[in-house]
Amino acid sequence: MSFPLLTVTAALPAVGAIATAAVPAARRTAAKWLALLFSLATLVLAAIVLVRFEPGGDRYQLTESHAWIADFGVRYELGVDGIGVALLALTALLIPFVILAGWHDADPLEKDSAGRSAVSEANRRWRPTQGFFALILMVEAMVILSFEATDVFLFYILFEAMLIPMYFLIGGFGDRAAPAQFAATTAGGGDDAAATQRSYAAVKFLLYNLAGGLIMLAAVIGLYVVAGSFSLSEIAQARADGSLSIATSTERWLFLGFFFAFAVKAPLWPLHTWLPNAMGEATAPVAVLITAVVDKVGTFAMLRFCLQLFPEASTWATPVILVLALISIVYGALLAVGQRDIKRLIAYASISHFGFIIMGIFAMTSQGQSGATLYMVNHGISTAALMLVAGFLISRRGSRLIEDYGGVQKVAPVLAGTFLIGGLATLSLPGLSPFVSEFLVLVGTFSRYPVIGVIATTGIVLAALYVLVLYQRTMTGAVKAEVRSMPDLRVRELVVVTPLIALLLFLGVYPKPLTEIVNPAVQHTLSDVQKTDPKPEVEAAP
């Protein structure tokens, strides 16, 4: 039996989560270093998976298959294609930066917002630091395994299970920098108001995603009834040799069940409303975990499950999905322009970006789907850079409101410079990696749906508006008294931001290493839906 590399890669952060949670309450620093060590070890294993993956080889590689619940045809089946291995590597790459950025986010408060002592005997015994980092590692384990799963039922369990640690990360370890208006309008003061907002965001996140998951469960059961298997490889083989034929109406209903759950996770308009609350109330590292890691499971699943299992239904639903994606692009960007809260602005920008990703997937062209996959990776890196620097900024001032800043670039030039680079990546400036993916998505969409492609370009214009206005209002102008003594980025923060910026630059000028991995998987996906790239129309010479 070959070494189960994919299992070990997913299991290592889970083991790290257990070990971190078991660290004694008084040894919080040891828990942080232990979590970081396990995340780095997982990154090493992910790099080995990436090196061993052969882009021109079998569709699914490093496969593992074991009987699990034999009576119901459930198997423990793993395998990665080019899309899955790229997102696996992204996840493993980002988690060490998430842990470093959140190094002090779960430290017990010495004083509350009113200046009263927050230290009690219960506080001393409580282990928020251990729990915070253990939950992050547990999310990493589930997300990695979801990118590897080739059994539908196994994927469904992971798809739902990752909601539990995310719920506690949002509700139990939320942002301590609540907007000032909450303290002014809530009788219990700022601390009570912040706790209320965090609870609301966490419950909304959970309910939306659980609703999508329950609908998907019905579709998963329906798929087993008609196919007799949960295995992607078995279902694909049965459809290829003609032994499995699914009625058109049945396939469409099953597709809708799967797609609804993935659209909630993605998030796609009008199922997006949980994201601004969740990202706004979570700490900046957890907000990165939400949009750069967990949400990618939704768009990844559209490629792996919707298109592969339900090719006819995917083609049938494409016009409506493209319109919804287009609304997401424009709507998210417009709302980002009008935001007063820095983190909610980034959240609405992400809704717009996910619209581009979904548009690229359902454009059904090689450029569109390659661009969508690259967009998933590049959006993860750029959003992590922007949100983490925003988190460093907010932790210094204690406010998320844009109006509370001004002139930061004069007192903290490195912080302002990294914030600008993250913002320019968000608006897909040429030379930075998101430009490549956004360009491919638009080209791929325009070649088949020119009207959709043209309208989608308004998202680029609006992105420039909300990013540059955000920078102008926070970083330029007169130095406000509250930011006059603001320190610049510290060594730990530079260690977080510098590699992300380097990746944005490298993949912006040389995306070939990523495209070589992704393109063969995209061709397999297009063959599943029996689509080829439209030929360019060339007028004959007179």
Side-chain angles (χ1 to χ4, degrees), residues 28-39:
R28 294 189 173 92
T29 302
K32 298 174 184 178
W33 282 106
L34 185 63
L36 180 61
L37 179 63
F38 271 97
S39 70

Side-chain angles (χ1 to χ4, degrees), residues 90-409:
L90 172 69
T91 302
L93 172 71
L94 291 180
I95 296 302
F97 298 127
V98 167
I99 290 173
L100 274 174
W103 201 252
H104 298 298
D105 284 357
D107 290 347
L109 289 173
E110 295 296 325
K111 293 182 179 181
D112 62 18
S113 62
R116 297 168 301 200
S117 174
V119 179
S120 64
E121 189 59 34
N123 198 337
R124 293 190 182 95
R125 293 196 303 268
W126 192 41
R127 308 199 311 192
T129 304
Q130 288 86 335
F132 180 74
F133 292 105
L135 289 170
I136 290 174
L137 290 175
M138 190 58 68
V139 171
E140 179 184 21
M142 293 177 182
V143 170
I144 287 177
L145 199 56
S146 68
F147 290 141
E148 300 171 344
T150 57
D151 182 276
V152 177
F153 192 81
L154 173 62
F155 173 83
Y156 172 77
I157 290 176
L158 297 166
F159 186 81
E160 291 292 273
M162 68 180 69
L163 301 179
I164 299 171
M166 287 306 307
Y167 169 80
F168 288 108
L169 284 170
I170 297 169
F173 301 92
D175 193 353
R176 294 170 179 173
Q181 68 267 27
F182 292 155
T185 58
T186 306
D191 294 327
D192 292 341
T196 300
Q197 291 293 318
R198 289 197 299 268
S199 297
Y200 172 78
V203 171
K204 189 173 184 179
F205 162 82
L206 187 65
L207 291 179
Y208 267 66
N209 284 275
L210 278 178
L214 289 173
I215 293 174
M216 181 182 170
L217 177 60
V220 168
I221 295 171
L223 177 66
Y224 181 74
V225 170
V226 298
S229 175
F230 291 114
S231 170
L232 271 179
S233 58
E234 290 181 5
I235 295 173
Q237 182 60 40
R239 301 200 75 165
D241 61 26
S243 60
L244 173 61
S245 178
I246 303 177
T248 300
S249 60
T250 302
E251 180 176 333
R252 292 177 179 180
W253 279 111
L254 294 176
F255 167 85
L256 291 174
F258 276 76
F259 180 79
F260 182 85
F262 302 153
V264 172
K265 183 86 77 179
L268 178 68
W269 184 92
L271 306 172
H272 67 284
T273 59
W274 62 269
L275 183 66
N277 296 99
M279 288 184 65
E281 300 307 323
T283 63
V286 172
V288 170
L289 197 63
I290 294 169
T291 190
V293 177
V294 173
D295 287 355
K296 298 300 187 301
V297 177
T299 47
F300 163 79
M302 291 178 189
L303 283 164
R304 172 164 286 189
F305 296 103
C306 285
L307 271 60
Q308 187 173 347
L309 292 173
F310 316 111
E312 189 281 333
S314 298
T315 303
W316 163 75
T318 288
V320 174
I321 294 172
L322 287 176
V323 171
L324 295 178
L326 185 60
I327 294 173
S328 289
I329 292 169
V330 179
Y331 173 84
L334 282 172
L335 288 188
V337 170
Q339 290 303 305
R340 298 173 57 208
D341 184 313
I342 297 174
K343 290 168 70 178
R344 288 179 71 90
L345 184 151
I346 299 173
Y348 280 110
S350 289
I351 291 170
S352 181
H353 294 148
F354 274 102
F356 277 108
I357 294 171
I358 296 170
M359 185 177 73
I361 292 171
F362 284 90
M364 303 293 184
T365 60
S366 59
Q367 300 98 327
Q369 292 191 357
S370 293
T373 305
L374 292 179
Y375 215 132
M376 290 187 235
V377 175
N378 293 329
H379 171 264
I381 299 170
S382 63
T383 300
L386 181 60
M387 178 60 85
L388 292 179
V389 177
F392 299 149
L393 176 69
I394 291 167
S395 67
R396 284 158 165 75
R397 173 67 177 84
S399 172
R400 307 199 310 251
L401 296 179
I402 297 172
E403 63 200 42
D404 289 339
Y405 296 87
V408 174
Q409 66 180 13

Side-chain angles (χ1 to χ4, degrees), residues 490-510:
R490 303 179 179 91
V491 173
R492 171 180 59 86
E493 295 164 336
L494 285 171
V495 170
V496 171
V497 176
T498 304
L500 295 175
I501 292 176
L503 273 173
L504 290 173
L505 292 168
F506 175 75
L507 293 175
V509 298
Y510 190 64

